[in-house]
Amino acid sequence: MNFDGASGCIAAARDATSAFLDDQALPAHPTFHDDVLLVVSELVTNAVRHAPGPLIFRLTLLRDRIEIIVRDTDHRTPAARTPGLDGGRGWSIIHTLACDVRVFPHHDGKTVRAEMAW
């Protein structure tokens, strides 16, 4: 899915994720659905907050996990920071819930890929 990068795309990504998970009816652990929604929210929120312009969001079912992809226009690699009133918790939440997180730089930004086992 392509999004314009405005704040409304965070809710749209969550809605699309929820529909995708409901449609797949995965035999997942009890908190899987909520955990995936949280990781999607954090990844898309980071892209909206830190990258100007459009972003690409994609979900893919793999053999025993789900792949979450967010591609944005910011060249900076995400990094953990001290939590405060202005945020700083998202990157550590993503790393806690996902079994694999990788960042791939591109000439026009980066792709963040998180995989979550079900």
Side-chain angles (χ1 to χ4, degrees), residues 5-100:
S7 62
C9 68
I10 300 165
R14 284 180 57 89
D15 291 346
T17 301
S18 189
F20 180 85
L21 293 173
D22 289 345
D23 183 55
Q24 298 302 317
L26 302 171
H29 59 83
T31 64
F32 180 74
H33 190 274
D34 291 338
D35 292 348
V36 171
L37 288 175
L38 181 54
V39 169
V40 165
S41 292
E42 293 297 337
L43 287 172
V44 175
T45 297
N46 285 349
V48 168
R49 186 177 219 191
H50 300 290
L55 63 99
I56 296 171
F57 167 72
R58 186 178 78 218
L59 298 170
T60 304
L61 267 187
L62 304 174
R63 186 173 45 91
D64 61 348
R65 55 187 67 194
I66 189 169
E67 177 187 61
I68 304 161
I69 296 280
V70 176
R71 182 174 178 151
D72 65 41
T73 59
D74 187 6
H75 290 91
R76 294 172 294 171
T77 300
R81 59 188 179 102
T82 304
L85 296 176
D86 64 339
R89 292 171 183 80
W91 195 238
S92 62
I93 289 171
I94 292 163
H95 279 272
T96 298
L97 295 175
C99 57
D100 187 40

